[in-house]
Structure formats: structure tokens, C-alpha cells
Amino acid sequence: MPLGGGNTCGCCQKTVYFAEEVQCEGKYFHKCCFLCMACKKNLDSTTVACHVDEIYCKSCYGKKYGPKGYGFGGGAGTLSMDTGAHLGIRPEEPAAHCPTNNPNTSKLATKFGSSDVCPRCAKAVYSAEKVLGGGNSWHKSCFRCAKCGKGLESTTVADKDGEIYCKACYAKSFGPKGFGFGQGAGALAHAQ
């Protein structure tokens, strides 16, 4: 305890006297310094969440240190559009999708002792990772729509000219065009 009888504030490092102190995780704060480190909202014993030497409101703590992904929003059934950039969170960017129409070059297949080559990446496809579709063998990770990159299954694949598509992209690209040919029942679409 410094001279004068008070503890040191965990935020501003100045003396905290008994009449104005707030205790949290063995540290002392001025009432006016007991704020969320991200959004600067006032905290109390029911709204504080601690992480090492940092204090947050429960909302900011959840955004910074809670689970990430679809379905983890601000409450039950809520999706938040907040990326958490103000908290120092960088969203992961998906890798670019690069479709190909690469024919089977059997040099790789004979080199690795397999007769199957993935048409998307031109690498050998072994039975543990093989998915059949569109008359070819594919890696599970390469078995994606050539247009939108969506993962495919045997029930959702459509093929054309050696490439595979999801049913929605196939219908948009190769399906009938014109008045009355939409995606759903009763839908109208403009053909371009």
C-alpha cells in the first residue's frame, strides 16, 4: 500500500482510496476507471468479465474470446454482423476458388501407383479420399461447384463438359431461359 493509505488502480495506476474503490480479481479500480476495455461501458459485478489483466463487458468478452462462427451471436437464435474489428479480431478469409477443366494426365497417376487423377487439381486420388461424380474420381476437398465453390454431395452434383456444379449454378448457367423459368415455384426470372 502506498503512502496515504490507498491501493493502486489497475487502470490508471493512481491511488485508489477506500471510498471510491471497486475490487475485481484481486485488483482495485476507481469507480470511473472500472470500464470495458473495448466499448468503454461502465461495469459492475454482474457485467464484468476478466481475461488476464483486462476487463470487459460480457458482450465484448464474448466477441473477443468466445466461440466464433455461424450461430454464435448476441443471444439465442441471433446472428451478429459485428466482425469484432474494434476488438482486434481479424476475420478469416476463405481461399480463392480456382475451377479447372484439366483432363486426366496419367503421368501423375502412374508415378503414384494410382489410375485415378483428380480433374480439379491434377493430383493422384487414393481410395481413402475418393469421391465419384460426373464420371471422374475427385478428392473430397476438390468435390466443389466450379462456379460458386459450394461443397457437393452425390445428390447435389450436376456435370457438364467434365466439370461439376451444384444444381442451382447448373440451372442458372445451363437451364432453360426466359419468362416463367425461375428457381422456385411461381418464380419469374429475367434471362440475360
Side-chain angles (χ1 to χ4, degrees), residues 47-59:
T47 60
V48 69
C50 299
H51 184 80
V52 190
D53 290 335
E54 302 170 335
I55 56 174
Y56 296 96
C57 66
K58 290 186 177 183
S59 176

Side-chain angles (χ1 to χ4, degrees), residues 120 131-134 136 138-145 150-154 157 164:
R120 179 76 34 87
V131 178
L132 297 173
N136 290 311
W138 304 78
H139 293 107
K140 289 177 186 174
S141 59
C142 294
F143 197 61
R144 302 186 157 283
C145 175
K150 178 180 173 184
L152 300 173
E153 297 176 7
S154 61
V157 69
I164 54 174

Side-chain angles (χ1 to χ4, degrees), residues 12 23 28 30 42 45 47 115 131 141 143 170 173 180 187:
C12 70
Q23 291 184 13
Y28 301 90
H30 293 105
N42 287 324
S45 63
T47 60
S115 60
V131 178
S141 59
F143 197 61
Y170 182 87
S173 300

